Amino acid sequence: MTKKKIMIPIMSIMLATSSMTAIPSLTSVNAAQAVKEAYTYQVETQEGKQYIVLTDYKGSEEKITIPDQINGIEVKSIQDGFGKNSKLKSITLSKNIASEKDTKRSLAGLNQITTLEEIQTVKDNAAYQSEDGILYTKDKKELVAYPKSKKSETYVMPSEVEKAGELSLANLKYLKNLTFSKKIKIIPECSNSSIENVIIPDQVKVIDESTFDTCKNLKKVTFGKNITTIGDGAFANCTALKTIKLPNNLKNIEEIAFVNTSLKSVIIPDSVVKIGASAFDKDVKLKKPSYLKKIKKTGGAVYYEARATVKTSRKKTSYKAAKITKIRANTKKVTLKKGKKAKIQTKIFYAKKLKKGYLDPSILKFTTSNKKIAAVSKYGNIKGVKKGKATITVKLRTSGIKYKVNVVVK
């Protein structure tokens, strides 16, 4: 793509029209007389063909329709910053507005117009469609722009949507209830919005940093079951947030994730391996697994990290749980009589190397295939209940690494 850089005033264009056979190269030209609106634009060339990119709207109208052409050249795109300082409430995209693939430009700039209440498209636009005043790609797989001043309080994202444009849901003035599509994998930034209730689908694994920063009205968050990471400042300054139920597969809560909220107590799932420094306010009571150890950084900041304690006859050694690559039992089969007990002991491989001693069971989860045959305690103690066979599964809580022990009760 090449950009033309010659500045030509409107009057000059009009005077020269009678003698010109080719369209001049233009950039940042006021096209008010050509389209009866106060637009500025630039002409670009791609594969030898010229088209126009609108750079700004300087008019006073609240409702506009993007022109098909200016001076015989198709208007194909809108640049970031277009209408940013206007009073626009409604924009209708013409048939020639082309896709990002064709112009190498997205329409994300529409998300910068704070007064905008709706975005419409004409029916024969091949690249985009509008539904309820919200802009999507034609196949509806991407949310392109959500008007910042749209007055609807509830938005249920269409099921076809797989991704959303950057800042498409940030700085929304009226939206209260937000439900994402079940197909979306990355939550766009929603910061500084009026959202009170948000539902995050199971497809999402990471909530990126600052995603809901300064959503001061946010009261309820429903997390998808597969979220593993809550990023830096993801819910910082959500001052109305009083309670949360964190998902059971969560691994990391990063720094200042929930700072400056109204949380008083939080239950930390036993899958968590790390809580970053100042993730919660100092007065928040954390009910957390015993293997999450408090660690002080240089400078005094405190964070929590999952540590596995291995005991030998002489000492105890603490290892980072995240670096345990394998666990195994001291025996693969246990045989005991009805009413008798046995204990499972676990060895670890740390960075693929077997370590001496046995693992403190507090970081392990024990389950039995048949508690009527063999019961197992949270410390790995097996009790024979009646004659038969059962399987005990032992899993490292922080990673899902596991092994099995066959039990025979005689």
Side-chain angles (χ1 to χ4, degrees):
M1 181 185 296
T2 59
K3 297 184 179 180
K4 306 296 183 181
K5 298 185 178 179
I6 302 174
M7 300 290 293
I8 302 178
I10 287 294
M11 188 59 70
S12 298
I13 296 173
M14 295 178 65
L15 292 173
T17 300
S18 59
S19 61
M20 290 168 54
T21 57
I23 297 171
S25 301
L26 309 173
T27 173
S28 298
V29 177
N30 189 303
Q33 289 179 299
V35 295
K36 298 181 181 179
E37 289 289 320
Y39 292 99
T40 58
Y41 63 86
Q42 62 191 30
V43 177
E44 297 185 357
T45 302
Q46 188 174 25
E47 296 179 354
K49 187 175 181 180
Q50 292 181 316
Y51 64 90
I52 281 175
V53 176
L54 298 182
T55 55
D56 203 358
Y57 174 73
K58 301 289 188 180
S60 59
E61 298 294 327
E62 294 183 350
K63 183 176 182 178
I64 64 170
T65 296
I66 301 300
D68 290 341
Q69 299 180 344
I70 297 177
N71 293 337
I73 310 175
E74 290 185 353
V75 177
K76 282 196 171 185
S77 193
I78 297 170
Q79 184 170 281
D80 280 1
F82 174 87
K84 185 177 181 181
N85 299 313
S86 70
K87 297 179 180 180
L88 286 170
K89 292 184 177 181
S90 175
I91 294 178
T92 299
L93 302 183
S94 60
K95 65 179 182 180
N96 292 331
I97 297 296
S99 68
E100 183 176 358
K101 181 180 179 181
D102 289 338
T103 64
K104 310 305 178 187
R105 292 178 181 275
S106 75
L107 299 184
L110 294 175
N111 290 305
Q112 300 176 23
I113 305 174
T114 60
T115 55
L116 202 58
E117 296 179 7
E118 67 170 7
I119 304 168
Q120 303 291 348
T121 60
V122 296
K123 289 183 179 180
D124 51 354
N125 184 289
Y128 299 99
Q129 66 165 298
S130 174
E131 182 178 290
D132 193 27
I134 302 166
L135 186 64
Y136 304 92
T137 50
K138 196 69 173 182
D139 59 11
K140 221 171 181 181
K141 289 185 178 181
E142 181 178 354
L143 165 66
V144 179
Y146 187 107
K148 298 309 176 191
S149 291
K150 181 177 173 59
K151 291 183 169 60
S152 298
E153 293 187 353
T154 298
Y155 175 46
V156 178
M157 185 177 283
S159 60
E160 301 96 322
V161 176
E162 296 178 1
K163 64 178 181 178
E166 184 180 358
L167 299 178
S168 56
L169 294 173
N171 304 301
L172 301 184
K173 296 179 181 180
Y174 301 102
L175 185 65
K176 292 183 179 180
N177 304 297
L178 172 60
T179 301
F180 286 98
S181 162
K182 291 182 180 179
K183 291 183 180 179
I184 203 162
K185 294 182 179 180
I186 299 175
I187 300 296
E189 186 173 330
C190 302
S191 60
N192 294 290
S193 286
S194 58
I195 300 166
E196 295 181 4
N197 174 39
V198 62
I199 299 176
I200 299 171
D202 292 340
Q203 283 275 81
V204 176
K205 293 184 178 181
V206 176
I207 299 177
D208 288 325
E209 64 178 289
S210 305
T211 297
F212 295 96
D213 186 9
T214 319
C215 288
K216 294 183 178 181
N217 298 324
L218 186 61
K219 297 176 182 177
K220 184 178 180 181
V221 181
T222 302
F223 292 99
K225 65 182 180 181
N226 294 315
I227 291 173
T228 60
T229 300
I230 297 176
D232 290 357
F235 294 91
N237 306 304
C238 292
T239 52
L241 190 61
K242 294 181 178 180
T243 61
I244 53 168
K245 183 178 180 181
L246 297 174
N248 289 329
N249 290 315
L250 186 62
K251 301 295 180 188
N252 299 291
I253 303 172
E254 296 185 352
E255 294 185 3
I256 64 172
F258 292 94
V259 74
N260 196 25
T261 68
S262 292
L263 295 169
K264 298 300 180 185
S265 64
V266 177
I267 296 174
I268 304 298
D270 60 10
S271 56
V272 171
V273 297
K274 189 173 182 179
I275 302 175
S278 303
F280 299 90
D281 293 320
K282 290 182 179 179
D283 60 348
V284 177
K285 184 178 180 181
L286 300 181
K287 185 177 180 181
K288 55 184 177 56
S290 60
Y291 59 77
L292 280 176
K293 306 299 183 183
K294 182 187 289 188
I295 301 170
K296 283 189 176 183
K297 298 173 69 174
T298 303
V302 172
Y303 68 96
Y304 296 88
E305 187 174 69
R307 294 294 177 95
T309 302
V310 175
K311 300 177 182 178
T312 66
S313 58
R314 295 183 178 181
K315 63 178 182 178
K316 294 180 181 180
T317 306
S318 177
Y319 296 96
K320 289 184 179 181
K323 290 190 176 182
I324 295 176
T325 51
K326 182 180 177 181
I327 58 174
R328 76 178 187 192
N330 58 330
T331 178
K332 293 182 179 181
K333 182 176 180 181
V334 173
T335 302
L336 69 165
K337 293 182 179 181
K338 178 182 174 181
K340 297 297 183 180
K341 295 181 179 181
K343 184 175 180 64
I344 298 176
Q345 292 184 303
T346 302
K347 289 183 170 291
I348 71 164
F349 288 77
Y350 188 75
K352 299 183 179 181
K353 293 182 179 180
L354 178 63
K355 296 297 180 181
K356 293 182 179 180
Y358 294 106
L359 185 60
D360 185 315
S362 65
I363 199 169
L364 299 171
K365 183 176 182 179
F366 301 87
T367 56
T368 177
S369 63
N370 192 335
K371 61 183 179 181
K372 293 181 178 179
I373 300 294
V376 63
S377 75
K378 64 179 180 180
Y379 302 109
N381 296 315
I382 304 171
K383 182 179 180 180
V385 179
K386 70 175 185 179
K387 290 183 179 181
K389 295 180 180 180
T391 301
I392 304 297
T393 300
V394 183
K395 183 174 74 171
L396 190 67
R397 293 180 182 274
T398 56
S399 69
I401 297 172
K402 59 187 176 181
Y403 66 81
K404 295 183 177 182
V405 175
N406 296 316
V407 179
V408 178
V409 181
K410 293 185 175 180

